[in-house]
Structure formats: structure tokens, C-alpha cells
């Protein structure tokens, strides 16, 4: 069984996730893994740079501040970001569930 925890900022998703971890359930944190993938996945990095430019990575590290400056400036940028990152996170989650360690994207 897979359970998804959703909700707005401050709604307690992290608390519920931590309780589940303490009870021994595996928890896949989409936000944390999206950030990890944006730093570690070469394919994802290439897709993001192609869409948002080389300023997205500063000295090899993901530049979240730059992304926020463009992501919230236009709805289309947020939609493009989600269209690139969400499939990578989904593939990573599936790979981890199959025991393949992730970074499937």
C-alpha cells in the first residue's frame, strides 16, 4: 500500500512523516528528493539548464534563489519546472521502491 501525504505549508506533513518513520514505515519525501535530484541527476540538470539557463547552477550547485526569482515571476515557469522535475521524482520513487537506489532519471 502507498499512502500520499498532502497539504499546505504548516499543515503537519513532516510531523506525520516522522511518526510513520518512527513506526518503521518507509517514507519517500518528494520535496527532499526533488532537491537531491536537481543536484545529483545529470539528465535532470541538463533539462533544467536547457529551460532555465546556466545561472540555475552556481559553481556546480543548484541555485534555488535564482529559480525562485523566475519560478514565481510567471506561472508558465512554474508549470515548466513541474513538468521537468515531477517525472524525475516519480521515476526515482519507483526505482527506490523496486530497490534500485534511485536516480533513475
Amino acid at each position: 500500500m502507498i499512502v500520499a501525504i498532502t497539504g499546505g505549508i504548516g499543515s503537519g506533513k513532516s510531523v506525520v512523516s516522522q511518526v510513520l518513520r518512527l513506526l518503521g514505515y518507509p517514507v519517500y519525501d518528494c520535496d527532499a528528493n526533488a532537491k537531491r535530484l536537481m543536484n545529483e541527476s545529470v539528465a535532470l540538470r541538463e533539462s533544467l539548464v536547457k529551460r532555465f539557463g546556466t545561472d540555475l547552477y552556481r559553481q556546480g550547485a543548484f541555485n534555488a534563489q535564482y529559480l525562485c526569482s523566475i519560478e514565481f515571476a510567471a506561472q508558465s515557469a512554474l508549470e515548466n519546472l513541474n513538468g521537468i522535475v515531477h517525472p524525475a521524482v516519480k521515476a526515482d520513487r519507483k526505482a527506490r521502491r523496486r530497490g534500485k537506489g534511485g536516480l533513475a532519471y
Side-chain angles (χ1 to χ4, degrees):
M1 177 189 323
I2 296 175
V3 176
I5 302 169
T6 65
I9 295 172
S11 63
K13 299 180 300 288
S14 296
V15 173
V16 172
S17 295
Q18 186 60 29
V19 169
L20 291 172
R21 284 185 187 96
L22 290 171
L23 293 172
Y25 293 98
V27 174
Y28 184 88
D29 184 327
C30 291
D31 289 342
N33 282 293
K35 291 174 187 169
R36 177 183 59 79
L37 289 167
M38 286 189 276
N39 278 299
E40 297 177 8
S41 170
V42 174
L44 181 56
R45 181 183 294 224
E46 288 173 354
S47 295
L48 290 169
V49 166
K50 183 177 179 181
R51 170 57 183 91
F52 297 104
T54 57
D55 288 340
L56 191 56
Y57 289 87
R58 184 181 302 150
Q59 297 175 340
F62 179 70
N63 185 349
Q65 186 175 13
Y66 172 76
L67 180 61
C68 287
S69 73
I70 57 176
E71 171 185 20
F72 296 111
Q75 181 66 29
S76 62
L78 179 58
E79 291 169 0
N80 290 154
L81 175 67
N82 289 340
I84 296 168
V85 175
H86 287 181
V89 171
K90 183 177 181 180
D92 184 69
R93 182 190 54 79
K94 285 182 177 182
R96 285 178 177 266
R97 187 159 185 237
R98 289 190 308 264
K100 301 203 175 172
L103 279 178
Y105 185 80

